[in-house]
Amino acid sequence: MFILRAAFWFSVVALLIPGDPSHGVQAPRVDAIGALLAARGAVADLSGMCERQPDVCSHGGAALAAFGAKARYGAQLLYSTIDGSLAGATLPGAQPGGSTLTPADVEPNWRAPA
C-alpha cells in the first residue's frame, strides 16, 4: 500500500514540475475552455461506466462509503484527542488553585530597614 501511495504522490509532484525548455519540447498549451470540455467528457464517460459495469459502481460506492466513514471517525478521534489534551493541560508545578507560585515564591526575600 505504501508503494502505491508513494507512486501517486510522485506522479502528482512530477505533473507540477515545469518542463525543461532546453530540450526544445514545449508542454502543450491548454486553454480554460479546452480543459473544461475535457473534464466534461471525462465525467460523462465515468457516469456511463455504471451502465456498462454495474458491479464496479456498487463496489466502488461501498468502498467510498467505507472511506468516508473512516475519515469521519479519524477526524473525530483527532479532534477529541486535541480537545482533551488542551482541556487537561496544566503547567508543571501548578497548584490546585491555578497559580504556579508556591508559598515560598510569594514570601518576600528581604525586609525593609527599620
Side-chain angles (χ1 to χ4, degrees):
M1 192 65 169
F2 172 75
I3 293 173
L4 292 176
R5 288 181 190 162
F8 171 76
W9 287 112
F10 282 134
S11 64
V12 168
V13 170
L15 288 174
L16 294 176
I17 296 174
D20 186 13
S22 65
H23 285 96
V25 178
Q26 292 292 329
R29 299 271 181 204
V30 179
D31 59 347
I33 295 173
L36 183 63
L37 291 175
R40 185 174 163 197
V43 168
D45 185 49
L46 286 176
S47 64
M49 185 180 69
C50 288
E51 296 169 0
R52 293 188 305 263
Q53 297 178 356
D55 289 340
V56 172
C57 269
S58 65
H59 292 304
L64 283 175
F67 177 75
K70 286 183 180 186
R72 271 193 304 279
Y73 175 72
Q76 287 174 349
L77 185 64
L78 181 65
Y79 178 75
S80 65
T81 301
I82 291 174
D83 190 39
S85 67
L86 291 178
T90 58
L91 294 173
Q95 301 298 317
S99 175
T100 58
L101 298 175
T102 63
D105 292 335
V106 178
E107 186 177 298
N109 289 332
W110 60 276
R111 303 262 184 225

XYZ file of all heavy atoms in Angstrom:
810
model
N 0.825 -1.187 0.000
C 0.000 0.000 0.000
C 0.872 1.255 0.000
O 0.531 2.247 -0.621
C -0.913 -0.044 1.223
C -1.990 0.966 1.179
S -3.075 0.605 -0.185
C -4.396 1.658 0.144
N 1.998 1.190 0.728
C 2.902 2.334 0.779
C 3.448 2.653 -0.608
O 3.572 3.827 -0.966
C 4.048 2.045 1.749
C 5.117 3.095 1.720
C 4.914 4.321 2.322
C 6.313 2.866 1.059
C 5.885 5.299 2.287
C 7.292 3.837 1.019
C 7.075 5.057 1.638
N 3.750 1.627 -1.381
C 4.319 1.838 -2.713
C 3.303 2.541 -3.615
O 3.662 3.433 -4.382
C 4.781 0.499 -3.319
C 5.959 -0.037 -2.498
C 5.186 0.653 -4.771
C 6.409 -1.412 -2.884
N 2.038 2.160 -3.507
C 1.007 2.814 -4.317
C 0.856 4.285 -3.936
O 0.725 5.149 -4.800
C -0.324 2.089 -4.161
C -0.387 0.682 -4.753
C -1.718 0.044 -4.438
C -0.156 0.730 -6.246
N 0.862 4.562 -2.638
C 0.747 5.953 -2.196
C 1.950 6.768 -2.666
O 1.803 7.904 -3.125
C 0.658 6.024 -0.676
C -0.656 5.550 -0.130
C -0.667 5.682 1.367
N -1.833 5.019 1.932
C -1.949 4.670 3.177
N -0.974 4.904 4.021
N -3.033 4.081 3.609
N 3.119 6.190 -2.515
C 4.328 6.899 -2.932
C 4.301 7.159 -4.438
O 4.649 8.254 -4.893
C 5.568 6.098 -2.549
N 3.871 6.166 -5.223
C 3.802 6.351 -6.666
C 2.797 7.443 -7.023
O 3.044 8.255 -7.924
C 3.415 5.035 -7.346
N 1.676 7.477 -6.327
C 0.676 8.510 -6.588
C 1.255 9.895 -6.317
O 1.147 10.801 -7.148
C -0.566 8.278 -5.729
C -1.542 9.421 -5.779
C -2.351 9.606 -6.885
C -1.621 10.326 -4.736
C -3.237 10.667 -6.944
C -2.505 11.388 -4.780
C -3.315 11.552 -5.886
N 1.882 10.088 -5.155
C 2.388 11.417 -4.813
C 3.559 11.812 -5.693
O 3.721 12.991 -6.024
C 2.751 11.493 -3.333
C 1.517 11.541 -2.488
C 1.060 10.602 -1.636
C 0.544 12.593 -2.468
N -0.122 10.994 -1.078
C -0.463 12.210 -1.565
C 0.430 13.820 -3.110
C -1.560 13.021 -1.305
C -0.669 14.613 -2.845
C -1.655 14.215 -1.951
N 4.392 10.841 -6.096
C 5.471 11.172 -7.021
C 4.918 11.613 -8.373
O 5.452 12.513 -9.009
C 6.428 9.992 -7.201
C 7.387 9.823 -6.054
C 7.608 8.583 -5.511
C 8.065 10.909 -5.529
C 8.493 8.428 -4.454
C 8.958 10.761 -4.480
C 9.167 9.503 -3.935
N 3.829 10.981 -8.813
C 3.246 11.389 -10.091
C 2.626 12.782 -9.990
O 2.703 13.569 -10.935
C 2.211 10.367 -10.568
O 1.127 10.306 -9.660
N 2.024 13.115 -8.854
C 1.470 14.454 -8.665
C 2.588 15.489 -8.691
O 2.477 16.537 -9.344
C 0.667 14.543 -7.343
C 0.331 15.981 -6.991
C -0.596 13.712 -7.438
N 3.675 15.194 -7.999
C 4.810 16.122 -7.990
C 5.399 16.263 -9.388
O 5.739 17.363 -9.830
C 5.879 15.651 -6.976
C 7.169 16.438 -7.124
C 5.344 15.777 -5.561
N 5.496 15.142 -10.112
C 6.054 15.185 -11.470
C 5.183 16.030 -12.396
O 5.699 16.724 -13.281
C 6.194 13.777 -12.019
N 3.875 16.004 -12.200
C 2.992 16.822 -13.029
C 3.135 18.310 -12.724
O 2.925 19.143 -13.593
C 1.537 16.395 -12.832
C 1.155 15.057 -13.460
C -0.267 14.686 -13.077
C 1.286 15.129 -14.967
N 3.491 18.639 -11.493
C 3.601 20.042 -11.115
C 4.938 20.664 -11.495
O 5.062 21.883 -11.544
C 3.378 20.187 -9.608
C 1.972 19.838 -9.124
C 1.897 19.923 -7.607
C 0.935 20.740 -9.760
N 5.943 19.836 -11.766
C 7.254 20.363 -12.147
C 7.190 20.836 -13.599
O 6.724 20.116 -14.473
C 8.329 19.270 -11.989
C 8.461 18.881 -10.521
C 9.668 19.738 -12.539
C 9.388 17.724 -10.282
N 7.662 22.047 -13.877
C 7.621 22.533 -15.265
C 8.603 21.769 -16.147
O 9.586 21.205 -15.659
C 8.013 24.002 -15.141
C 8.742 24.099 -13.851
C 8.190 23.035 -12.956
N 8.315 21.755 -17.440
C 9.177 21.068 -18.396
C 10.493 21.804 -18.600
O 10.621 22.986 -18.313
N 11.488 21.089 -19.139
C 12.806 21.667 -19.388
C 12.796 22.333 -20.761
O 12.690 21.655 -21.783
C 13.859 20.568 -19.325
C 15.267 21.101 -19.439
O 15.435 22.331 -19.327
O 16.184 20.295 -19.631
N 12.917 23.658 -20.826
C 12.859 24.331 -22.119
C 14.114 24.103 -22.968
O 14.095 24.343 -24.162
C 12.702 25.812 -21.766
C 13.240 25.939 -20.386
C 13.005 24.604 -19.721
N 15.207 23.622 -22.396
C 16.433 23.430 -23.166
C 16.328 22.246 -24.128
O 17.082 22.159 -25.078
C 17.622 23.234 -22.223
O 17.474 22.032 -21.493
N 15.401 21.325 -23.887
C 15.223 20.188 -24.792
C 14.386 20.535 -26.015
O 14.276 19.746 -26.936
C 14.585 19.004 -24.057
C 15.539 18.296 -23.161
N 15.618 18.588 -21.829
C 16.463 17.329 -23.411
C 16.544 17.818 -21.283
N 17.076 17.058 -22.217
N 13.781 21.688 -26.014
C 13.018 22.131 -27.171
C 11.604 21.583 -27.220
O 10.845 21.894 -28.108
N 11.238 20.746 -26.267
C 9.888 20.185 -26.252
C 9.047 21.051 -25.323
O 9.300 21.127 -24.132
C 9.898 18.718 -25.765
C 8.486 18.175 -25.708
C 10.782 17.888 -26.651
N 8.097 21.714 -25.889
C 7.229 22.565 -25.098
C 6.005 21.764 -24.638
O 5.510 20.892 -25.348
C 6.758 23.764 -25.926
C 7.868 24.738 -26.275
C 8.383 25.457 -25.043
O 7.640 25.693 -24.097
N 9.656 25.781 -25.058
N 5.557 22.072 -23.448
C 4.345 21.433 -22.943
C 3.159 21.951 -23.739
O 3.137 23.124 -24.142
C 4.164 21.750 -21.465
N 2.198 21.093 -24.032
C 1.044 21.559 -24.798
C 0.267 22.618 -24.024
O 0.084 22.510 -22.823
C 0.211 20.294 -25.000
C 0.679 19.336 -23.985
C 2.092 19.689 -23.662
N -0.149 23.640 -24.718
C -0.925 24.713 -24.105
C -2.406 24.353 -24.180
O -2.923 24.012 -25.238
C -0.699 26.028 -24.844
C 0.717 26.480 -24.836
C 0.962 27.316 -23.626
N 2.356 27.775 -23.644
C 2.989 28.123 -22.566
N 2.376 28.065 -21.423
N 4.225 28.527 -22.636
N -3.054 24.410 -23.050
C -4.476 24.102 -22.983
C -5.174 25.314 -22.399
O -4.803 25.789 -21.325
C -4.735 22.850 -22.106
C -6.216 22.557 -22.023
C -3.982 21.658 -22.637
N -6.167 25.810 -23.117
C -6.904 26.944 -22.590
C -8.003 26.452 -21.648
O -8.256 25.264 -21.526
C -7.481 27.797 -23.720
C -8.411 27.008 -24.626
O -8.415 25.774 -24.537
O -9.121 27.639 -25.427
N -8.650 27.367 -20.972
C -9.648 27.014 -19.962
C -10.847 26.304 -20.586
O -11.387 25.353 -20.008
C -10.104 28.266 -19.229
N -11.252 26.709 -21.767
C -12.413 26.084 -22.417
C -12.082 24.647 -22.808
O -12.887 23.733 -22.619
C -12.865 26.921 -23.628
C -13.361 28.281 -23.141
C -13.948 26.198 -24.412
C -13.680 29.245 -24.241
N -10.875 24.421 -23.328
C -10.464 23.063 -23.685
C -10.391 22.157 -22.466
O -10.802 20.993 -22.512
N -9.876 22.687 -21.352
C -9.808 21.891 -20.123
C -11.199 21.583 -19.599
O -11.475 20.465 -19.137
C -9.001 22.639 -19.068
N -12.105 22.543 -19.694
C -13.479 22.326 -19.249
C -14.174 21.276 -20.106
O -14.874 20.396 -19.578
C -14.259 23.646 -19.286
C -15.694 23.600 -18.782
C -15.723 23.224 -17.315
C -16.368 24.933 -19.005
N -13.987 21.331 -21.406
C -14.586 20.326 -22.283
C -14.005 18.940 -22.031
O -14.729 17.929 -22.052
C -14.393 20.729 -23.746
C -15.192 21.946 -24.209
C -14.825 22.320 -25.643
C -16.687 21.679 -24.091
N -12.705 18.856 -21.768
C -12.088 17.566 -21.467
C -12.613 16.999 -20.152
O -12.905 15.802 -20.054
C -10.574 17.712 -21.415
N -12.764 17.851 -19.142
C -13.293 17.391 -17.862
C -14.743 16.944 -18.002
O -15.154 15.942 -17.413
C -13.180 18.507 -16.820
N -15.506 17.675 -18.806
C -16.906 17.300 -19.026
C -17.001 15.941 -19.714
O -17.834 15.104 -19.362
C -17.580 18.378 -19.869
C -19.029 18.186 -20.071
C -19.597 19.392 -20.794
N -20.889 19.091 -21.351
C -21.498 19.789 -22.271
N -20.906 20.872 -22.743
N -22.671 19.451 -22.720
N -16.147 15.699 -20.700
C -16.137 14.405 -21.376
C -15.721 13.273 -20.443
O -16.269 12.173 -20.504
N -14.767 13.548 -19.556
C -14.333 12.520 -18.600
C -15.458 12.171 -17.631
O -15.681 11.001 -17.315
C -13.102 12.996 -17.843
N -16.175 13.186 -17.162
C -17.293 12.932 -16.250
C -18.392 12.154 -16.956
O -18.987 11.234 -16.394
C -17.823 14.266 -15.673
C -19.150 14.078 -14.960
C -16.791 14.864 -14.732
N -18.668 12.498 -18.205
C -19.693 11.774 -18.960
C -19.283 10.318 -19.151
O -20.116 9.410 -19.044
C -19.928 12.445 -20.307
N -18.012 10.079 -19.414
C -17.538 8.711 -19.575
C -17.612 7.943 -18.263
O -17.997 6.770 -18.244
C -16.107 8.704 -20.103
C -15.626 7.296 -20.399
O -16.371 6.557 -21.086
O -14.534 6.929 -19.933
N -17.275 8.583 -17.155
C -17.337 7.908 -15.863
C -18.780 7.616 -15.455
O -19.061 6.584 -14.845
C -16.651 8.747 -14.792
C -15.128 8.771 -14.856
C -14.581 9.717 -13.806
C -14.547 7.383 -14.673
N -19.691 8.517 -15.776
C -21.087 8.267 -15.426
C -21.666 7.133 -16.263
O -22.543 6.405 -15.819
C -21.916 9.539 -15.586
O -21.942 9.930 -16.947
N -21.185 6.954 -17.481
C -21.639 5.843 -18.312
C -21.040 4.519 -17.903
O -21.519 3.459 -18.312
N -19.995 4.539 -17.092
C -19.365 3.298 -16.655
C -20.311 2.481 -15.787
O -20.280 1.252 -15.821
C -18.080 3.602 -15.885
C -17.304 2.358 -15.509
S -15.816 2.707 -14.603
C -16.462 3.302 -13.068
N -21.171 3.130 -15.024
C -22.101 2.405 -14.159
C -23.105 1.600 -14.982
O -23.581 0.564 -14.534
C -22.832 3.374 -13.240
S -21.762 4.052 -11.951
N -23.427 2.088 -16.171
C -24.327 1.338 -17.044
C -23.609 0.152 -17.680
O -24.185 -0.908 -17.871
C -24.889 2.256 -18.122
C -25.761 3.360 -17.566
C -26.084 4.397 -18.617
O -25.629 4.265 -19.768
O -26.800 5.353 -18.278
N -22.330 0.331 -17.992
C -21.563 -0.745 -18.620
C -21.171 -1.822 -17.619
O -21.211 -3.008 -17.935
C -20.302 -0.179 -19.273
C -20.582 0.720 -20.458
C -19.301 1.081 -21.186
N -18.293 1.691 -20.322
C -18.089 2.993 -20.189
N -18.857 3.832 -20.871
N -17.158 3.475 -19.414
N -20.765 -1.415 -16.418
C -20.302 -2.361 -15.404
C -20.924 -2.000 -14.056
O -20.318 -1.299 -13.249
C -18.779 -2.339 -15.311
C -18.084 -2.765 -16.577
C -16.576 -2.666 -16.443
O -16.058 -2.217 -15.434
N -15.880 -3.093 -17.469
N -22.132 -2.510 -13.767
C -22.805 -2.123 -12.517
C -22.098 -2.655 -11.270
O -22.185 -2.043 -10.204
C -24.207 -2.710 -12.667
C -24.128 -3.696 -13.764
C -22.963 -3.334 -14.618
N -21.387 -3.773 -11.374
C -20.684 -4.302 -10.203
C -19.576 -3.356 -9.746
O -19.358 -3.179 -8.548
C -20.076 -5.678 -10.507
C -21.133 -6.758 -10.641
O -22.256 -6.526 -10.139
O -20.832 -7.805 -11.241
N -18.887 -2.767 -10.700
C -17.811 -1.837 -10.358
C -18.382 -0.638 -9.616
O -17.811 -0.175 -8.623
C -17.061 -1.400 -11.636
C -16.082 -0.289 -11.338
C -16.349 -2.578 -12.263
N -19.513 -0.139 -10.063
C -20.133 1.012 -9.400
C -20.598 0.671 -7.988
O -20.409 1.457 -7.062
C -21.319 1.520 -10.212
S -20.840 2.777 -11.386
N -21.204 -0.490 -7.815
C -21.693 -0.842 -6.479
C -20.538 -1.057 -5.509
O -20.574 -0.581 -4.372
C -22.591 -2.078 -6.537
O -21.841 -3.203 -6.956
N -19.496 -1.740 -5.961
C -18.344 -1.954 -5.083
C -17.585 -0.648 -4.842
O -17.109 -0.391 -3.735
C -17.394 -2.998 -5.670
C -17.971 -4.372 -5.704
N -18.452 -4.999 -4.585
C -18.141 -5.247 -6.723
C -18.895 -6.200 -4.915
N -18.725 -6.366 -6.216
N -17.494 0.181 -5.857
C -16.836 1.477 -5.691
C -17.597 2.377 -4.737
O -17.008 3.079 -3.921
N -18.917 2.358 -4.824
C -19.734 3.150 -3.902
C -19.582 2.671 -2.470
O -19.497 3.479 -1.536
N -19.541 1.351 -2.287
C -19.347 0.808 -0.944
C -17.964 1.182 -0.404
O -17.817 1.504 0.778
C -19.520 -0.705 -0.963
N -16.956 1.137 -1.283
C -15.610 1.499 -0.845
C -15.545 2.973 -0.468
O -14.912 3.345 0.527
C -14.604 1.184 -1.943
N -16.197 3.837 -1.255
C -16.208 5.261 -0.918
C -16.959 5.532 0.379
O -16.564 6.392 1.167
C -16.819 6.071 -2.059
C -15.916 6.307 -3.258
C -16.684 7.013 -4.367
C -14.699 7.101 -2.878
N -18.052 4.802 0.613
C -18.791 4.972 1.859
C -17.941 4.547 3.051
O -17.925 5.223 4.091
C -20.089 4.172 1.817
N -17.214 3.434 2.909
C -16.345 2.973 3.988
C -15.211 3.969 4.222
O -14.854 4.268 5.366
C -15.776 1.597 3.663
N -14.651 4.506 3.140
C -13.583 5.501 3.268
C -14.102 6.756 3.969
O -13.432 7.318 4.834
C -13.023 5.854 1.894
C -11.987 6.921 1.929
C -10.712 6.644 2.378
C -12.293 8.208 1.530
C -9.752 7.636 2.426
C -11.341 9.206 1.574
C -10.070 8.919 2.029
N -15.306 7.197 3.604
C -15.890 8.373 4.246
C -16.133 8.155 5.726
O -15.881 9.042 6.544
N -16.618 6.957 6.082
C -16.854 6.652 7.497
C -15.540 6.637 8.272
O -15.460 7.156 9.389
C -17.564 5.310 7.627
N -14.505 6.053 7.675
C -13.201 6.030 8.348
C -12.624 7.429 8.480
O -12.016 7.767 9.496
C -12.226 5.136 7.578
C -12.515 3.673 7.747
C -11.473 2.840 7.031
C -11.761 1.366 7.213
N -10.698 0.535 6.647
N -12.802 8.255 7.465
C -12.297 9.629 7.524
C -13.017 10.422 8.609
O -12.399 11.180 9.360
C -12.458 10.310 6.166
N -14.349 10.250 8.706
C -15.105 10.938 9.755
C -14.651 10.477 11.133
O -14.460 11.285 12.045
C -16.602 10.680 9.587
C -17.299 11.671 8.716
C -18.814 11.564 8.819
N -19.334 10.242 8.523
C -19.529 9.762 7.301
N -19.249 10.497 6.266
N -20.016 8.559 7.123
N -14.473 9.159 11.305
C -14.040 8.630 12.593
C -12.643 9.145 12.948
O -12.387 9.530 14.078
C -14.051 7.101 12.581
C -13.498 6.503 13.847
C -14.228 6.568 15.030
C -12.251 5.903 13.873
C -13.726 6.046 16.197
C -11.743 5.374 15.033
C -12.480 5.443 16.196
O -11.970 4.923 17.357
N -11.749 9.170 11.970
C -10.402 9.674 12.217
C -10.407 11.139 12.604
O -9.670 11.560 13.496
N -11.247 11.931 11.936
C -11.342 13.351 12.270
C -11.906 13.549 13.676
O -11.419 14.387 14.436
C -12.199 14.076 11.244
N -12.922 12.755 14.033
C -13.483 12.853 15.375
C -12.467 12.430 16.424
O -12.349 13.060 17.481
C -14.734 11.980 15.500
C -15.935 12.520 14.773
C -17.100 11.544 14.796
O -16.950 10.386 15.171
N -18.258 12.018 14.374
N -11.717 11.370 16.146
C -10.700 10.899 17.073
C -9.606 11.946 17.255
O -9.185 12.240 18.378
C -10.106 9.585 16.564
C -9.113 8.882 17.467
C -9.799 8.452 18.755
C -8.550 7.668 16.758
N -9.173 12.542 16.166
C -8.150 13.582 16.237
C -8.663 14.797 17.006
O -7.964 15.342 17.857
C -7.725 13.991 14.825
C -6.641 15.044 14.727
C -5.335 14.512 15.296
C -6.451 15.458 13.290
N -9.894 15.198 16.726
C -10.467 16.352 17.413
C -10.595 16.085 18.905
O -10.250 16.932 19.724
C -11.829 16.706 16.818
C -12.498 17.857 17.514
C -12.066 19.155 17.295
C -13.538 17.644 18.401
C -12.663 20.215 17.940
C -14.139 18.697 19.053
C -13.709 19.981 18.825
O -14.294 21.030 19.476
N -11.096 14.901 19.280
C -11.266 14.599 20.698
C -9.917 14.492 21.401
O -9.786 14.889 22.552
C -12.075 13.319 20.890
O -11.365 12.209 20.390
N -8.900 13.984 20.701
C -7.571 13.897 21.302
C -7.001 15.286 21.532
O -6.473 15.588 22.606
C -6.625 13.090 20.392
O -7.169 11.792 20.195
C -5.243 12.992 20.992
N -7.109 16.150 20.533
C -6.587 17.514 20.675
C -7.387 18.282 21.713
O -6.823 18.964 22.568
C -6.590 18.240 19.317
C -5.548 17.617 18.408
C -6.330 19.725 19.490
C -5.574 18.153 17.001
N -8.704 18.155 21.685
C -9.553 18.869 22.623
C -9.292 18.397 24.050
O -9.203 19.194 24.970
C -11.018 18.688 22.249
C -11.931 19.603 23.036
O -11.535 20.759 23.267
O -13.022 19.156 23.427
N -9.142 17.089 24.238
C -8.879 16.556 25.568
C -7.510 16.932 26.080
O -7.335 17.237 27.258
N -6.527 16.948 25.210
C -5.182 17.294 25.660
C -5.083 18.776 25.991
O -4.351 19.170 26.890
C -4.142 16.909 24.613
O -4.286 17.702 23.461
N -5.816 19.626 25.285
C -5.782 21.049 25.584
C -6.597 21.388 26.826
O -6.237 22.276 27.581
C -6.299 21.860 24.397
C -5.408 21.869 23.159
C -6.076 22.670 22.050
C -4.048 22.426 23.470
N -7.692 20.651 27.044
C -8.540 20.932 28.192
C -7.856 20.509 29.492
O -7.980 21.166 30.512
C -9.884 20.226 28.051
N -7.126 19.400 29.461
C -6.488 18.902 30.672
C -5.053 19.355 30.830
O -4.351 18.887 31.713
N -4.597 20.262 29.991
C -3.201 20.680 30.051
C -2.968 21.597 31.244
O -3.716 22.537 31.481
C -2.813 21.404 28.768
N -1.948 21.268 32.018
C -1.545 22.119 33.129
C -0.045 22.312 33.050
O 0.678 21.491 32.502
C -1.911 21.486 34.485
O -1.273 20.207 34.571
C -3.411 21.324 34.642
N 0.384 23.398 33.609
C 1.811 23.666 33.632
C 2.468 22.821 34.708
O 1.857 22.519 35.734
C 2.067 25.147 33.900
C 1.598 26.103 32.823
C 1.761 27.536 33.302
C 2.379 25.874 31.551
N 3.725 22.439 34.507
C 4.411 21.673 35.541
C 4.518 22.488 36.824
O 4.852 23.672 36.803
C 5.801 21.408 34.955
C 5.717 21.732 33.515
C 4.536 22.610 33.319
N 4.206 21.873 37.933
C 4.296 22.540 39.228
C 3.112 23.424 39.547
O 3.163 24.218 40.473
N 2.025 23.298 38.769
C 0.858 24.140 39.006
C 0.157 23.723 40.289
O 0.066 22.548 40.619
C -0.101 24.049 37.832
N -0.301 24.710 41.040
C -1.024 24.468 42.280
C -2.501 24.225 41.968
O -3.000 24.616 40.918
C -0.887 25.688 43.206
C 0.547 26.029 43.547
C 1.245 24.908 44.286
O 0.671 24.303 45.182
N 2.478 24.614 43.909
N -3.227 23.579 42.897
C -4.643 23.297 42.633
C -5.482 24.543 42.391
O -6.454 24.502 41.670
C -5.106 22.578 43.904
C -3.864 22.054 44.539
C -2.756 22.967 44.122
N -5.118 25.674 42.936
C -5.890 26.892 42.739
C -5.667 27.528 41.378
O -6.310 28.505 41.035
N -4.756 27.013 40.596
C -4.496 27.568 39.278
C -3.243 28.412 39.219
O -2.798 28.803 38.170
N -2.645 28.722 40.361
C -1.441 29.535 40.374
C -0.219 28.642 40.280
O -0.202 27.530 40.785
C -1.389 30.348 41.674
O -0.163 31.047 41.736
N 0.815 29.141 39.651
C 2.058 28.373 39.550
C 3.054 28.766 40.632
O 4.133 28.205 40.714
C 2.715 28.579 38.170
O 2.952 29.956 37.974
C 1.831 28.023 37.070
N 2.673 29.740 41.457
C 3.566 30.185 42.520
C 3.379 29.326 43.760
O 2.270 29.015 44.172
C 3.296 31.650 42.875
C 3.526 32.660 41.748
C 3.110 34.046 42.204
C 4.969 32.640 41.303
N 4.492 28.962 44.369
C 4.451 28.226 45.637
C 4.455 29.245 46.773
O 4.778 30.428 46.570
C 5.667 27.291 45.759
O 6.847 28.093 45.780
C 5.717 26.300 44.604
N 4.129 28.830 48.003
C 4.180 29.776 49.129
C 5.567 30.379 49.313
O 5.699 31.541 49.710
C 3.768 28.924 50.327
C 2.909 27.855 49.728
C 3.501 27.569 48.385
N 6.619 29.631 49.010
C 7.979 30.183 49.136
C 8.225 31.271 48.103
O 8.990 32.206 48.346
C 9.005 29.063 48.986
N 7.590 31.169 46.946
C 7.741 32.205 45.920
C 7.062 33.504 46.326
O 7.547 34.594 46.010
C 7.138 31.730 44.600
C 7.912 30.585 43.981
O 9.110 30.455 44.273
O 7.303 29.815 43.199
N 5.961 33.417 47.036
C 5.199 34.588 47.415
C 5.847 35.308 48.599
O 5.760 36.531 48.746
C 3.741 34.199 47.740
C 2.913 35.383 48.196
C 3.104 33.540 46.542
N 6.565 34.572 49.456
C 7.203 35.140 50.647
C 8.314 36.108 50.241
O 9.111 35.785 49.354
C 7.790 33.986 51.465
C 8.357 34.376 52.790
C 8.830 33.135 53.525
O 8.008 32.268 53.826
O 10.051 33.046 53.750
N 8.368 37.298 50.863
C 9.409 38.254 50.478
C 10.794 37.765 50.901
O 10.965 37.114 51.922
C 9.024 39.539 51.201
C 8.106 39.122 52.286
C 7.464 37.843 51.859
N 11.825 38.120 50.127
C 13.181 37.689 50.406
C 13.921 38.655 51.335
O 14.913 38.299 51.944
C 13.985 37.563 49.095
C 13.516 36.395 48.287
O 13.027 35.422 48.818
N 13.671 36.494 46.970
N 13.494 39.856 51.464
C 14.200 40.839 52.271
C 13.193 41.632 53.096
O 12.010 41.631 52.810
C 15.045 41.758 51.392
C 14.218 42.530 50.384
C 13.799 42.124 49.191
C 13.689 43.822 50.570
N 13.052 43.075 48.574
C 12.964 44.156 49.413
C 13.752 44.777 51.598
C 12.316 45.373 49.250
C 13.106 45.974 51.432
C 12.389 46.271 50.241
N 13.738 42.304 54.060
C 12.908 43.166 54.908
C 13.440 44.596 54.798
O 14.653 44.798 54.669
C 12.962 42.726 56.380
C 12.553 41.313 56.609
C 11.105 41.294 57.064
N 10.746 39.905 57.369
C 9.634 39.364 56.968
N 8.765 40.051 56.267
N 9.356 38.133 57.274
N 12.570 45.539 54.856
C 12.977 46.942 54.808
C 13.701 47.313 56.103
O 13.378 46.805 57.180
C 11.765 47.834 54.622
N 14.697 48.173 56.027
C 15.389 48.583 57.264
C 14.443 49.357 58.192
O 13.578 50.092 57.740
C 16.533 49.472 56.798
C 16.321 49.719 55.342
C 15.302 48.784 54.857
N 14.637 49.143 59.469
C 13.776 49.773 60.459
C 14.172 51.174 60.768
O 15.157 51.738 60.698
C 13.772 48.954 61.747
